Amino acid sequence: MKTDAELLEIVVRRGFGYKRAVAALYDKYRVPILRFFRGFVSKEDAEDLLHENFLMIISRASSIKNPSASTAWIWQVTRNSLYKFLRTQNLKSRRIYSGDIEEILFKDRGEDKTIDSGADTFRRDGLTPLADITGACAGGNAASRVAESCVSENLLRFREVHPDRYFVLAEALEGSSVADIAVKIGRSLDATYRYMTESRKKLVPFIEPCRKFLSDDEAVA
Amino acid sequence: MTPSTHDKQGRSGESSEIEDDVYKMAQQRLKKFAEIERHEIVSSSRSHRARTLSSIESPSLYEKLRNSLRDWQFATGSAVGVAATIAAFGILPSIPFIPSKSVGLMESGGYESKFDTATTGSLTRGGANANESDFSADSGRVVELLVDHPMLAALSDAKTLLDDDVQISSLTHDIERDFVTMVVPVMTESEVYFLEQYNVEIDGEWFSFSLNKKPATVIYKNVTRGE
């Protein structure tokens, strides 16, 4: 299997195997990039963004200065596509922190810098309805199911407020290494590690209200 | 599932105060969300793949020619076949290419030349460098090459033909006849082209090239501009 650098070289040369290289890149990155986008925009916008982003990757492949960092370059282009899209969506009007979106996402913003948790701040229509998810985990006692519903609902709220943190936590839980996550969010290894640690801490307040439902002594009507 | 966040020092990034049931439940839920979303993405939007890939501009025949020739020039050796070249006599310096057999005759409006590339490894006309004075000027003449090959052979200094200095008026591929026709307006008869046989791979397909089955014989006709 060819590396990203090898595939992009074929793309740049537009010679033998061009179509195969383009298809290979798309097949490799479609799912991870689409998941990345869907954390911040609607399902439909994510698909369009994926399309535009991929065209950008192909058309600008010749600008890569360091082929050994091709994967990191692809994710940089991807992040830039997202930033551009978010800016053009006029997020400031939705009371997003009034700073450059690049300085907000995947950065420790500090306690006084939060993203407004307006329900439509980051549209994520692509997520399966909550009921379907909680229904899939039927089992256990009533209190456990209520606790799961509570946790699920608050996870979605966490995603609305901190879509970037949600993304890195989900990546980690699916087995991505810190190094892989670092490439995707454009941070150093140490910075990513710290960011992930902070992200877990940020999650705690969201799920704290659900703790009471885990008590066997609690009876839920 | 514990996140794979252990660094070289073995740190996991987890603090003890969040290693509790509700946090573990949150981890499980989050992982479940991600799996469902991944499955949804994988199983959906096949049309988006087709849309995106089709919108990626495929190399034109023009670009395929240029790139295939450039790749062939640098990548192949004598096993692939004889070298083919297009040269503008009197315009280009000697063009180094892979030595091969003698190229045979070329006809051009009455001019006949024989090119021996085996010894020198460069293209010359009659053993000597061609000069523009070898040909009489005849501005406005259009040279049309008819080649019974799906891909036109243009090697060596491919930019000679493909550069802005030499405009290609049209490049068409007659699929039925399997002809590639390239129309190149030339200002003088000093721009002469000949082609030899060679093989080239384009996107996994091998194309063999020959001019009327006779290597190094140019089949072309002079078409007066406007005809």
Side-chain angles (χ1 to χ4, degrees):
Chain A
M1 183 177 296
K2 286 184 166 53
T3 64
D4 290 348
E6 292 169 336
L7 292 173
L8 288 173
E9 182 184 1
I10 296 173
V11 168
V12 170
R13 287 172 45 235
R14 297 178 72 93
F16 303 149
Y18 173 84
K19 288 185 179 179
R20 286 195 301 271
V22 169
L25 281 169
Y26 183 86
D27 291 337
K28 178 179 179 181
Y29 280 99
R30 173 176 172 266
V31 173
I33 290 181
L34 198 52
R35 289 189 60 209
F36 178 77
F37 288 150
R38 286 178 67 168
F40 300 90
V41 301
S42 69
K43 185 193 307 184
E44 291 75 21
D45 287 339
E47 292 281 0
D48 290 340
L49 202 52
L50 170 70
H51 175 84
E52 294 172 13
N53 181 62
F54 191 71
L55 296 183
M56 189 75 69
I57 290 172
I58 297 300
S59 64
R60 293 189 177 182
S62 58
S63 67
I64 298 177
K65 293 181 173 56
N66 181 12
S68 64
S70 293
T71 301
W73 176 86
I74 288 174
W75 280 103
Q76 180 63 62
V77 173
T78 300
R79 289 192 302 275
N80 289 342
S81 295
L82 175 64
Y83 299 153
K84 179 181 177 182
F85 181 86
L86 294 178
R87 280 193 289 266
T88 57
Q89 295 298 300
N90 195 19
L91 287 177
K92 289 183 180 180
S93 65
R94 299 183 181 183
R95 294 167 292 159
I96 293 296
Y97 175 67
S98 57
D100 194 335
I101 196 69
E102 297 179 45
E103 298 302 319
I104 300 175
L105 298 182
F106 303 112
K107 302 286 174 60
D108 287 310
R109 298 180 282 275
E111 293 302 326
D112 60 337
K113 298 178 181 178
T114 59
I115 295 176
D116 192 283
S117 59
D120 61 346
T121 297
F122 289 103
R123 296 176 55 203
R124 303 163 294 97
D125 304 336
L127 276 186
T128 302
L130 180 62
D132 295 344
I133 298 175
T134 54
C137 296
N141 56 32
S144 176
R145 289 195 293 274
V146 172
E148 285 184 350
S149 295
C150 176
V151 168
S152 297
E153 184 176 345
N154 284 282
L155 268 178
L156 295 182
R157 190 171 303 130
F158 174 74
R159 191 178 190 182
E160 287 181 5
V161 177
H162 301 288
D164 45 351
R165 298 188 184 280
Y166 182 95
F167 173 77
V168 297
L169 294 182
E171 287 288 306
L173 286 170
E174 285 207 295
S176 293
S177 66
V178 178
D180 289 340
I181 296 173
V183 169
K184 292 177 181 178
I185 68 173
R187 305 291 303 281
S188 68
L189 200 59
D190 286 343
T192 300
Y193 175 80
R194 289 192 300 271
Y195 185 76
M196 293 176 64
T197 301
E198 288 301 313
S199 296
R200 294 187 191 95
K201 294 180 180 178
K202 293 286 187 182
L203 174 60
V204 172
F206 284 80
I207 59 177
E208 187 63 30
C210 306
R211 188 180 304 280
K212 61 184 179 183
F213 299 115
L214 284 179
S215 171
D216 291 336
D217 294 333
E218 292 285 337
V220 179
Chain B
M1 175 180 173
T2 302
S4 57
T5 58
H6 290 75
D7 61 13
K8 292 181 180 179
Q9 287 74 36
R11 295 175 295 178
S12 68
E14 296 284 354
S15 56
S16 59
E17 60 265 27
I18 57 176
E19 279 285 350
D20 60 11
D21 289 344
V22 70
Y23 186 82
K24 289 179 182 178
M25 181 178 289
Q27 286 183 316
Q28 294 170 356
R29 297 282 76 217
L30 200 158
K31 187 167 184 284
K32 186 65 177 178
F33 287 168
E35 289 174 359
I36 292 173
E37 188 173 56
R38 178 182 292 275
H39 176 74
E40 181 186 1
I41 290 173
V42 170
S43 61
S44 67
S45 303
R46 299 292 184 189
S47 61
H48 287 275
R49 181 181 189 275
R51 175 175 72 116
T52 300
L53 294 184
S54 66
S55 63
I56 302 292
E57 180 184 4
S58 296
S60 63
L61 183 61
Y62 181 96
E63 290 177 295
K64 283 185 179 180
L65 290 171
R66 177 174 56 193
N67 293 328
S68 66
L69 297 168
R70 184 178 298 130
D71 293 336
W72 185 91
Q73 178 183 7
F74 290 106
T76 61
S78 58
V80 177
V82 302
T85 185
I86 292 181
F89 295 98
I91 297 177
L92 294 176
S94 296
I95 302 166
F97 65 99
I98 301 170
S100 62
K101 62 184 179 183
S102 299
V103 299
L105 292 178
M106 178 202 70
E107 297 182 351
S108 169
Y111 293 97
E112 293 185 9
S113 301
K114 185 173 183 179
F115 305 91
D116 184 355
T117 63
T119 55
T120 65
S122 61
L123 180 64
T124 59
R125 174 171 177 272
N129 291 330
N131 299 310
E132 288 192 12
S133 59
D134 291 340
F135 302 92
S136 59
D138 185 356
S139 63
R141 175 164 297 195
V142 175
V143 176
E144 182 180 60
L145 298 177
L146 298 178
V147 181
D148 62 345
H149 190 278
M151 304 300 291
L152 181 65
L155 250 203
S156 178
D157 195 354
K159 69 177 181 179
T160 303
L161 194 64
L162 306 176
D163 224 353
D164 291 339
D165 293 333
V166 181
Q167 297 292 336
I168 298 180
S169 296
S170 67
L171 185 63
T172 58
H173 179 202
D174 187 331
I175 298 176
E176 288 187 3
R177 294 191 306 155
D178 204 17
F179 265 87
V180 170
T181 302
M182 178 178 68
V183 178
V184 181
V186 294
M187 298 304 293
T188 69
E189 289 186 45
S190 61
E191 296 180 83
V192 181
Y193 305 93
F194 75 96
L195 301 164
E196 294 187 6
Q197 180 180 16
Y198 77 105
N199 300 316
V200 65
E201 180 199 6
I202 304 292
D203 286 345
E205 290 185 71
W206 280 96
F207 295 92
S208 61
F209 170 82
S210 64
L211 294 173
N212 281 350
K213 311 303 179 185
K214 297 179 181 179
T217 301
V218 178
I219 303 295
Y220 72 94
K221 63 180 181 180
N222 293 328
V223 179
T224 302
R225 184 173 292 170
E227 290 183 356

